[in-house]
Amino acid sequence: MITQARMEQAPKIVIIGAGPAGFRAAEEILKRQPDATLSLIGNESSYNRVQLSALLAHEVGVEQIFYQPLGGERHPNFQHIQAHIVEIDRSLKRLTDQQGQHYHYDKLILATGAKPHVPQINGTDLDGVLVFRSLRDTERLQARLARARHIAVVGGGLLGLEAARALRRNNTQVTIIQQGPWLMNRQLDHKAAARLRASVEALGITVIENAGVREISGLGRVEQVHLHRQQHLEVDTVVLCSGIRINHQLAKQALLKVAKGILVDRQLTTSDPDIFAIGECCEFEGQCFGLVEPGLEQAAIVADTLAGGSAEYRGSLNVSRLKVVGEQVCSIGDIHSAAASTLAKVLTFEDSKHYRKVVLHNGRITAAIGIGEWPEFRQIREAILEQRPLRWWQGLRFANHGRLWPEQQDSPQHWPEQALICQCNRVSRGQLSTAISAGACSIEQLQQQTQAATVCGSCKPLLTQLLTPDNQAARLEKEQGSNTLTLASLLACCIALLMLLVPGLQPPESVQQNWRLDKIWNDGFYKQVSGFTLLGLTLLGLGLSLRKRFKFKLPGDFNYWRLAHGLIGVVCVAILVAHTGLHLGSNLNRFLVLNFLAVLLLGSLTGLSVAQSHQLPLRQAKGLRQWWSWLHILISWPLPILLAVHVLSVYYF
C-alpha cells in the first residue's frame, strides 16, 4: 500500500489535452510510474480520432473508438477530468478552468492539439456548413446525412478523402473540391495522385481540382458553393477539411516561447523547464507535425524523461502509410522539395498495381512515395533516418522490379548490424542480435537487456521478427511444369557440354556417297537454313525473357512462357550442333559459339534451380534462383551484338 508520505512527495503531473498524444502520455507515465499523481484534463473523453471516418461510415460503433479507461486499483492516483483550461499561472504552478476551478501541478504537459481551419470566406456561418475533426463533429455529420442530397467536401487531403468516402456510403452525391493541383498534393506527386483520383472516382465521388472556394451562399442555409474559376455547385451541405490551426493560445498566455507552435528541445521541454509540449501543438527544430504518430513518439519521450530516463527526441519524418479510400498510400519525407533539388536523382517504378518513387541526394534516400502495397517501406524509413547510401545496382533492381533490397531482406534479421531498430533509444539490429544470441528469447527480455521498445514501442513488431528465425523447414511451392523444365534443362546442359568436350565431326572418307551428313554444316544452303532458324529462335527466346524484365503482357500464365523459353533453349543447342558440326570455329565465330554455349549452360542451371527450388530450404532456394538468373542475364547481353556482327561479316565478305 502507498503511504501518505509517499503520496505527498510524489510530483503532481498534469496533462492538458485528452487526445491521442495526451492519452498516450498518461499511459506511458503510468506504465513507468504506476503510483504517479497524474491528472488528464480535456474538453471531452479520450478516443481514437483516427477512427472517426470509420465511425462516420458506420464501420465501427462509437463504443469501439474510446480508449480503455486508466486508473482503478493499479493507478489509484490517476484522475481524468473533463474541463476547459483557460489560464496557466506559471509562478503559482496553477491552472484555472472555465468554471473557475483551480488545479496545481509540479510538471505540466501541453497536448492541446489543433482545431479545424475555417477559411475566411463568406457563408461559413450558414446552416449546413460543418467541420470534421472531433466526435461532436462526427455526430453532427451523421445527423445531417438524413437530409443531405449533395455534399461538397472542401479539401482533398487525407481527412477530406476519408470524409468523402464515409459520406458516400449512404449513396449521397459527394464532390471533393481541392484547391491544390491534385489530391494529397503535399504528400504525392501528380502520377501517384492520378492513380488515387481514379480510385476515388471509382467510388462515385466527383473530384474538382485547382478550384478554391470563393463563397458559400444561401438564404439561411447552404444552397451553392462558388469557386474561384467562375464555377458554382448546387449543394445542401459543405464539410470543411481544409487543414488545421495549432492550439497554442494557452502557451502564449503563459508567455512560453511560441513560433508556429510551442517551441521545445530534445526532451520536449518548453522555455519553462517544468512544462512540456507534445503532439500537434509543439514545434521542434522549425517543424510542426500534423500526424498522430509523431505525437505518440513524443508522449513516450516525455514519460521517459519524467521517469528519469535519457531518451531524446530527434524529430519525426512526415510518414503516411495507410489506406485512403481503399488504396494503400505510402509517403515519407517532403517529396516535392527533395525532387526539386538540382542534385536530386529520382527513381520510379510502376506497373498495373503499383507506383513507387524514390528521391536520392548524394546517393542517399531523402523522400519516397508509393501507391499500392510496399513491403520495403519500413526499411526505406530507416535508411532515410540513418542516411544509408544506396549502390548503383540497387537503383537498377528498383527500376526493374520496384525493390531496393533482395526480397529476403524484408525481415530485419537481414538488415545491416548498425541499422537502428529502436530509434528512441538508438538500439541497433546488431545489439539486439547479440542479446538474442546470449539467450534473450522474449520481447520483455530484449527490453530489459537493450532498452529497445521501452519508449514508444513502435519497434515491437521488428523485435518479434528478430525473435522468430526463418523457418528452416519452409519450402517454395512446386512450380507448374517443373518436371518438364528439369528434363529440358538437363538435356540442354548435356548437349552444350557435348559440344564443348567432343571434337568437331569430320567428313566421311568416301566422296562417292550421294548425300553426306557433313552437308548439314558445310553446304551453303543447309547452313543458311540452320543459321537463320537458330537466329530466329534465339531472338524469340530473348524476347520471352524480356517479358519478366520489362513487365509487358503476353497471354497465358508466366510459368508456361518460362517453360517455352527452356524448350527453345533445347532446340537452339540442337540446331547449333547441326549448324557447326561440333566445331567451335575460330576468332569471332569462336567467341560467338562460346558465348552461346555459356548462355545455354547458365540458362540450364537457372531452369534447374527454378524447377527444383521446392526441394531446398526457402532462403537457399531463393538465393540460388536469383544468383543463376542474374548470371544468365549478364552473359546474354553480348549475344545479340555478336550475332549481328557474325551475320554482317558472312554476307559482306
Side-chain angles (χ1 to χ4, degrees):
M1 181 174 291
I2 302 169
T3 65
Q4 183 68 28
R6 187 176 175 186
M7 288 175 62
E8 291 176 357
Q9 292 174 1
K12 295 179 180 178
I13 304 170
V14 176
I15 303 171
I16 301 178
F23 188 84
R24 176 62 67 88
E27 279 187 318
E28 296 291 340
I29 290 169
L30 294 175
K31 186 189 300 181
R32 293 162 176 79
Q33 305 176 73
D35 59 345
T37 303
L38 175 63
S39 297
L40 177 64
I41 305 176
N43 295 338
E44 54 185 346
S45 301
S46 294
Y47 55 86
N48 186 354
R49 198 174 65 233
V50 177
Q51 289 289 319
L52 288 178
S53 59
L55 176 64
L56 183 60
H58 301 289
E59 295 171 349
V60 298
V62 66
E63 69 284 348
Q64 293 176 267
I65 74 168
F66 284 101
Y67 295 126
Q68 290 295 322
L70 301 173
E73 293 182 0
R74 289 192 59 202
H75 310 298
N77 300 322
F78 170 79
Q79 55 181 340
H80 190 158
I81 303 169
Q82 196 158 333
H84 178 57
I85 302 298
V86 295
E87 182 184 4
I88 301 173
D89 188 327
R90 290 167 54 195
S91 60
L92 297 177
K93 290 193 172 182
R94 188 181 69 183
L95 311 174
T96 305
D97 69 13
Q98 205 167 30
Q99 307 301 321
Q101 180 73 33
H102 298 304
Y103 310 88
H104 292 274
Y105 70 87
D106 293 308
K107 301 291 183 181
L108 177 64
I109 301 172
L110 298 177
T112 50
K115 57 187 176 183
H117 169 67
V118 178
Q120 295 182 349
I121 56 175
N122 292 330
T124 55
D125 57 343
L126 291 173
D127 179 35
V129 178
L130 304 169
V131 294
F132 183 41
R133 175 76 179 176
S134 67
L135 180 57
R136 291 193 186 99
D137 299 333
T138 307
E139 291 170 344
R140 292 189 188 103
L141 270 172
Q142 287 177 328
R144 182 77 185 180
L145 278 173
R147 60 182 186 275
R149 295 293 176 266
H150 186 184
I151 301 175
V153 177
V154 180
L158 177 61
L159 188 63
L161 290 170
E162 284 301 289
R165 179 189 69 89
L167 295 167
R168 177 59 186 161
R169 290 181 66 89
N170 295 303
N171 292 320
T172 306
Q173 184 180 356
V174 178
T175 300
I176 295 175
I177 302 172
Q178 168 68 334
Q179 184 171 351
W182 54 76
L183 298 177
M184 293 187 70
N185 59 291
R186 292 185 179 181
Q187 292 88 8
L188 303 179
D189 67 5
H190 68 283
K191 279 193 172 183
R195 291 193 177 218
L196 180 60
R197 175 171 179 166
S199 298
V200 172
E201 292 178 334
L203 297 176
I205 299 170
T206 304
V207 178
I208 301 175
E209 296 170 336
N210 275 318
V213 175
R214 178 168 52 87
E215 183 184 8
I216 303 170
S217 65
L219 295 175
R221 59 182 176 84
V222 174
E223 295 178 3
Q224 288 187 336
V225 170
H226 303 270
L227 307 182
H228 283 301
R229 57 187 193 186
Q230 305 305 315
Q231 183 181 1
H232 68 271
L233 301 176
E234 304 287 338
V235 300
D236 52 50
T237 305
V238 175
V239 182
L240 300 176
C241 300
S242 51
I244 59 175
R245 294 177 62 187
I246 294 172
N247 282 328
H248 49 44
Q249 289 80 6
L250 271 176
K252 282 185 175 180
Q253 173 270 319
L255 301 180
L256 296 174
K257 289 185 178 179
V258 172
K260 291 182 293 184
I262 307 168
L263 298 176
V264 295
D265 59 17
R266 289 198 170 189
Q267 275 68 47
L268 298 164
T269 310
T270 66
S271 52
D272 185 323
D274 292 322
I275 301 179
F276 303 83
I278 60 174
E280 293 167 321
C281 68
C282 80
E283 178 181 342
F284 177 75
E285 294 184 350
Q287 191 171 9
C288 296
F289 302 95
L291 299 172
V292 171
E293 186 177 345
L296 303 183
E297 295 173 1
Q298 293 162 359
I301 297 289
V302 166
D304 188 72
T305 301
L306 291 174
S310 58
E312 291 185 344
Y313 183 63
R314 296 175 178 268
S316 297
L317 289 170
N318 287 319
V319 180
S320 300
R321 188 182 187 187
L322 64 167
K323 281 198 172 182
V324 181
V325 293
E327 184 74 82
Q328 187 72 45
V329 177
C330 304
S331 173
I332 184 167
D334 188 340
I335 193 72
H336 302 298
S337 61
S341 171
T342 55
L343 299 176
K345 180 179 180 181
V346 179
L347 305 177
T348 58
F349 170 83
E350 55 184 313
D351 59 18
S352 59
K353 295 182 179 179
H354 306 92
Y355 173 78
R356 297 170 183 172
K357 181 176 182 178
V358 172
V359 180
L360 306 177
H361 189 271
N362 292 330
R364 290 168 170 80
I365 307 177
T366 55
I369 56 172
I371 299 290
E373 294 291 340
W374 197 351
E376 290 186 317
F377 197 69
R378 185 180 283 273
Q379 289 168 267
I380 290 174
R381 178 181 180 179
E382 191 275 337
I384 293 176
L385 285 170
E386 294 305 307
Q387 290 290 287
R388 301 201 180 285
L390 291 183
R391 309 304 179 192
W392 64 268
W393 58 82
Q394 291 176 279
L396 184 62
R397 182 190 291 118
F398 185 82
N400 287 328
H401 304 293
R403 302 187 60 86
L404 290 167
W405 295 276
E407 196 168 337
Q408 62 267 25
Q409 288 191 13
D410 286 346
S411 169
Q413 294 169 356
H414 306 293
W415 292 12
E417 284 193 7
Q418 65 274 24
L420 288 183
I421 299 293
C422 177
Q423 300 290 336
C424 298
N425 286 319
R426 314 292 291 174
V427 182
S428 69
R429 197 278 298 167
Q431 291 173 279
L432 290 164
S433 296
T434 301
I436 292 170
S437 300
C441 56
S442 67
I443 289 180
E444 291 73 19
Q445 290 176 344
L446 283 178
Q447 287 176 318
Q448 291 173 3
Q449 295 185 29
T450 67
Q451 298 303 303
T454 59
V455 179
C456 72
S458 63
C459 57
K460 280 187 179 179
L462 296 178
L463 267 61
T464 301
Q465 292 182 62
L466 284 170
L467 288 165
T468 309
D470 290 341
N471 183 359
Q472 297 299 321
R475 296 287 190 273
L476 291 171
E477 292 185 6
K478 188 175 181 179
E479 299 280 359
Q480 292 180 334
S482 61
N483 293 336
T484 305
L485 185 59
T486 298
L487 182 62
S489 299
L490 288 172
L491 186 59
C493 187
C494 290
I495 298 175
L497 289 173
L498 177 74
M499 188 164 180
L500 282 172
L501 300 176
V502 176
L505 299 176
Q506 301 299 320
E509 294 182 1
S510 173
V511 295
Q512 297 180 353
Q513 298 178 14
N514 291 330
W515 194 88
R516 299 180 308 177
L517 185 62
D518 63 310
K519 279 188 175 183
I520 297 176
W521 62 85
N522 283 328
D523 184 85
F525 172 74
Y526 291 114
K527 199 169 182 69
Q528 286 189 71
V529 171
S530 62
F532 280 109
T533 303
L534 183 60
L535 177 64
L537 288 174
T538 301
L539 295 177
L540 178 60
L542 291 172
L544 290 180
S545 68
L546 294 177
R547 179 186 188 271
K548 183 177 180 181
R549 302 277 80 81
F550 295 103
K551 310 290 184 187
F552 63 82
K553 297 293 183 183
L554 286 175
D557 189 83
F558 173 75
N559 288 318
Y560 294 113
W561 286 108
R562 179 170 54 200
L563 181 59
H565 181 77
L567 293 173
I568 287 172
V570 176
V571 176
C572 280
V573 73
I575 295 176
L576 182 64
V577 170
H579 186 69
T580 63
L582 299 181
H583 292 276
L584 298 180
S586 59
N587 300 326
L588 176 66
N589 290 340
R590 190 178 187 87
F591 280 116
L592 174 59
V593 172
L594 289 175
N595 182 243
F596 209 110
L597 292 174
V599 171
L600 289 166
L601 282 170
L602 289 172
S604 301
L605 292 171
T606 303
L608 285 172
S609 67
V610 170
Q612 298 302 312
S613 58
H614 62 283
Q615 304 283 359
L616 300 171
L618 183 62
R619 286 184 58 190
Q620 186 179 350
K622 287 184 175 181
L624 283 174
R625 288 174 66 153
Q626 188 178 41
W627 173 253
W628 289 118
S629 178
W630 274 105
L631 282 179
H632 179 51
I633 294 168
L634 184 64
I635 203 67
S636 299
W637 284 107
L639 188 58
I641 300 172
L642 291 171
L643 281 170
V645 174
H646 173 72
V647 172
L648 181 65
S649 64
V650 168
Y651 284 92
Y652 183 79
F653 295 107

